[in-house]
Amino acid sequence: MEKDLQKISDYKWLLPRSFKAGMRVEGIIYGDKEIIDKAKEDRALEQVANVAFLPGIVKYSLAMPDIHWGYGFCIGGVAATDIEKGGVISPGGVGFDINCGVRLMRTNLTYKDIKTKIPSLVEALYRNIPVGVGSSGKIKLNSQQEKEVMLRGAEWAVELGWGVESDLECCEERGSWKGALPEEVSPRAYERGRNQLGTLGSGNHFVEIQEVEEIYKPEEAEALGIFPGQITLMLHSGSRGFGYQICDDFIKVMLEAAKKYHIYLPDRQLACAPVESKEAQRYIGAMKAAANYAWCNRQILMHLARESFSQVFGAAWSSLGMELIYDVAHNIAKFEDYEIEGNKKKLCVHRKGATRALGPDNTLLPPRYRSLGQPVIIPGDMGTASYLLLGTKKAEVESFSSTCHGAGRVMSRHKALKNISYNVLMEELREKDIVAMAKGRKTMVEEAPAVYKNIDTVIETVEKAGLSQKVCRMRPVGVIKG
Amino acid sequence: MRDGVNIEIIEHTADLGLKISAPTLSDLFVKAASGILEYAVGEKRENLLRQPDLSIEERVFVAEEDSWEELFLRWLNEQLFNLYTYNILAVDYSLLVKESQKKRLSAKTRYIKIKPEYIASEVKAATRHNLKIERTSLGFKAEVIFDL
């Protein structure tokens, strides 16, 4: 079947409807030949085709260059549905970790300032931030407080002193999405969410201290407060068990809904319902509650990181210039306006392992970024690099303002555990002057640099395809993981 | 566990897949649960069972679904929920599966309480992607992908 994939350009490939009978639209995959060859090795292309079955899907089923086999949607998958034309929402297209995302903070410190303090900083982060699987934070919520988190997200955290008002301006939806429906959240989700706020989790979640290594767009970098040799802090986490439970609860609801609305599902994980249906509206209310939980979680984690720096430097975090640049979501469905065939349409845009990348002048952007475009934060792996980019106007036309969300895995966790030695990995990190601390050796090995694609190639693809423009590259100097 | 019960890993780029075969549905359900829980707690499982102050509790789980696949998924997600929410690890199972109008599972499971730091990996949920249970000449086989 792979022979049907057609090259449009060096960075863009077409998956025709003939790939699988029943596709409503074609697929578009962004990647160079190496990325495409890798995508052919697992079931990611079939997943791009399956998503093209969704009722109301507009233009294309898309995959970003970090494409790899997921469940339902491929990772790196983007699909927009036309709400007026019976377009659907699929919890599987959002994923279990609802509103998982990344935030990036700048500092006024340089690598020289912190070089000898990196071990202390990593230890302080590790001490202050609950990491790992069974981690429960210092915050124990009662049901009323949990409802507040669901309704108000990061705003709730800021009000309680875990941050400042300007942090909110630098989050999508100001970190507080209106329309959450706590009454649609199951008692099991309440239970899972109670002790997990302010915890990082495990797997690919991390906190990283980074040094700005290379700047590609000096003017834009300056506007973002970025300079060479600067220390930044990036963190990656989501809605924890609270979001997983909501996804699980609603896939079951959507399976029934799919039967009711006579929707054919090539993969049951794509269970869905028309956005305007009762079932979808219930899910959207619960999804927004989980999204707010995730923003609140990242807000608290960022506060704990600020406190860690403050302890090590014996100075207020504000005097260290620790300001949030932006917070991006990469597992979410959003309701956005696009021009389709000359008409303005409200679309439901699923981004499953993909990042929103709004171009300049978009009114959804906070005033400080309106002329620049949206800051796009793309982590690589713990041994290589991460990038800060800006969204483009071209992405609005090409990819429903979407770009990649990371490097994308190429090696399974099982293979990583068989082939990668923990001791060798730690030695390699030490040789690169990277200080790493993790709760478990297993997580470190499963997340080793070798399990990911080359982040530089992935970033080059999104830039060449016009989906976002790179501002700077940051190298890791300190890492904590679950 | 009876003879003929087998479990192997399905290579999956991002997540984890298990392929299980067993002579009976009960064995299939038990092996899948113990398999994913072993992944979650890693090699520490045996040490956990040797804890001197072992706290044991028994829980009953009863569920009905239209298909074996849905019942299987619900059972696995119940075990994950218990592990990550209450830090209790299923170690001994007594299962009864029955087919009447619906597929029914009654399970009495013994759990041990573990310290959260003993959990090595996070498994978010069992998914419906490529989920299948099939009859074979030797009994049953199942395939399931977990989101990690």
Side-chain angles (χ1 to χ4, degrees), chain A residues 42-43 46-47 50 68-72 75 95-97 132-136 188-189 191-192 195-196 201-205 240-241 244-245 248 251-252 255-256 259 267-269 409-415 417-418 439-440 442-443 446, chain B residues 9-16 38-44 61 64-67 69-70 73-74 77-87 116-132 143 145-148:
Chain A
D42 60 25
R43 304 178 76 158
E46 187 189 336
Q47 293 188 316
N50 287 343
H68 57 280
W69 187 14
Y71 50 90
I75 309 301
F96 285 94
D97 197 354
V133 184
S135 61
S136 61
R188 281 168 85 96
E191 198 149 1
R192 288 180 88 159
N195 298 335
Q196 291 199 328
S202 180
N204 59 5
H205 293 169
R240 313 286 287 109
Y244 314 162
Q245 189 63 46
D248 189 42
I251 288 178
K252 205 161 167 52
L255 281 168
E256 288 303 312
K259 268 191 234 165
D267 179 341
R268 285 167 65 77
Q269 194 66 28
R409 285 189 81 96
V410 282
M411 190 191 294
S412 74
R413 286 170 165 88
H414 180 233
K415 267 194 189 150
L417 290 169
K418 278 209 291 199
K439 199 161 183 182
K442 197 176 169 194
T443 306
E446 287 178 345
Chain B
I9 287 175
I10 301 168
E11 288 295 340
H12 186 287
T13 319
D15 298 310
L16 175 75
E38 266 173 37
Y39 172 80
V41 297
E43 70 269 23
K44 296 184 190 112
F61 175 75
E64 274 189 350
E65 292 291 346
D66 290 330
S67 70
E69 283 86 355
E70 280 298 312
L73 190 115
R74 204 164 144 193
N77 282 337
E78 179 71 14
Q79 302 315 317
L80 295 174
F81 174 80
N82 285 335
L83 180 66
Y84 296 114
T85 312
Y86 305 123
N87 302 138
E117 55 266 32
Y118 288 148
I119 307 173
S121 299
E122 183 156 58
V123 182
K124 293 182 183 124
T127 77
R128 290 168 176 85
H129 173 59
N130 286 350
L131 175 65
K132 52 188 156 207
E143 283 185 27
I145 305 287
F146 294 89
D147 180 22
L148 301 184

Side-chain angles (χ1 to χ4, degrees), chain B residues 97-114:
Chain B
V97 288
K98 233 166 74 177
E99 185 165 14
S100 50
Q101 271 185 316
K102 287 197 162 203
K103 322 292 184 200
R104 184 183 163 85
L105 168 68
S106 314
K108 223 187 267 179
T109 308
R110 284 205 312 153
Y111 293 88
I112 57 168
K113 181 84 180 165
I114 62 171

Side-chain angles (χ1 to χ4, degrees), chain B residues 83-95:
Chain B
L83 180 66
Y84 296 114
T85 312
Y86 305 123
N87 302 138
I88 56 172
L89 174 71
V91 291
D92 191 25
Y93 312 82
S94 168
L95 259 71

Side-chain angles (χ1 to χ4, degrees), chain A residues 220 357-367 369-375 390-396 401 466-469:
Chain A
E220 286 81 353
L358 300 174
D361 305 326
N362 194 302
T363 54
L364 291 175
L365 288 171
Y369 296 134
R370 210 159 282 171
S371 62
L372 281 175
Q374 183 203 304
L390 287 170
T392 61
K393 278 187 186 285
K394 191 177 178 192
E396 282 177 30
S401 301
L467 305 185
S468 31
Q469 292 186 316

Side-chain angles (χ1 to χ4, degrees), chain A residues 145-415:
Chain A
Q145 290 165 325
E146 234 181 325
K147 269 184 201 164
E148 289 283 318
V149 171
M150 291 181 219
L151 290 167
R152 300 179 59 208
E155 187 183 88
W156 180 84
V158 166
E159 195 174 283
L160 290 177
W162 289 304
V164 290
E165 183 67 24
S166 59
D167 295 337
L168 301 176
E169 196 195 328
C170 299
C171 295
E172 296 181 20
E173 315 293 337
R174 288 181 58 85
S176 178
W177 206 351
K178 305 300 168 219
L181 298 174
E183 63 272 28
E184 294 298 346
V185 173
S186 70
R188 281 168 85 96
Y190 269 84
E191 198 149 1
R192 288 180 88 159
R194 197 155 290 154
N195 298 335
Q196 291 199 328
L197 196 64
T199 68
L200 186 70
S202 180
N204 59 5
H205 293 169
F206 65 84
V207 179
E208 224 173 76
I209 305 168
Q210 304 165 334
E211 180 198 9
V212 175
E213 195 178 41
E214 197 170 356
I215 289 182
Y216 307 98
K217 291 199 172 296
E219 271 180 39
E220 286 81 353
E222 198 182 338
L224 290 161
I226 294 289
F227 58 86
Q230 183 181 23
I231 292 301
T232 57
L233 188 129
M234 186 179 282
L235 69 87
H236 177 208
S237 190
S239 51
R240 313 286 287 109
F242 181 73
Y244 314 162
Q245 189 63 46
I246 287 174
C247 179
D248 189 42
D249 292 338
F250 275 94
I251 288 178
K252 205 161 167 52
V253 171
M254 293 300 189
L255 281 168
E256 288 303 312
K259 268 191 234 165
K260 179 175 159 187
Y261 300 109
H262 310 291
I263 297 170
Y264 170 72
L265 301 172
D267 179 341
R268 285 167 65 77
Q269 194 66 28
L270 294 174
C272 56
V275 172
E276 292 189 326
S277 68
K278 195 172 68 185
E279 295 85 349
Q281 290 300 311
R282 288 179 54 208
Y283 169 67
I284 291 164
M287 176 190 76
K288 287 180 174 179
N292 286 339
Y293 188 102
W295 276 311
C296 187
N297 192 37
R298 290 198 287 277
Q299 182 65 39
I300 294 168
L301 293 172
M302 182 175 77
H303 179 77
L304 296 174
R306 281 169 167 168
E307 281 190 333
S308 304
F309 270 63
S310 193
Q311 284 163 11
V312 171
F313 285 95
W317 63 260
S318 53
S319 72
L320 302 173
M322 299 186 78
E323 290 174 353
L324 178 61
I325 294 176
Y326 208 59
D327 176 301
V328 295
H330 53 224
N331 275 3
I332 198 74
K334 288 275 186 79
F335 307 96
E336 296 166 1
D337 295 322
Y338 289 93
E339 199 174 291
I340 305 293
E341 293 165 357
N343 300 312
K344 194 175 165 191
K345 292 275 188 183
K346 179 74 81 188
L347 304 181
C348 173
V349 184
H350 300 74
R351 297 190 180 97
K352 175 71 193 84
T355 311
R356 193 184 74 174
L358 300 174
D361 305 326
N362 194 302
T363 54
L364 291 175
L365 288 171
R368 68 170 79 178
Y369 296 134
R370 210 159 282 171
S371 62
L372 281 175
Q374 183 203 304
V376 172
I377 304 152
I378 308 297
D381 62 70
M382 68 170 105
T384 312
S386 296
Y387 281 84
L388 175 62
L389 303 95
L390 287 170
T392 61
K393 278 187 186 285
K394 191 177 178 192
E396 282 177 30
V397 183
E398 279 272 327
S399 61
F400 304 107
S401 301
S402 306
T403 188
C404 62
H405 88 305
R409 285 189 81 96
V410 282
M411 190 191 294
S412 74
R413 286 170 165 88
H414 180 233
K415 267 194 189 150

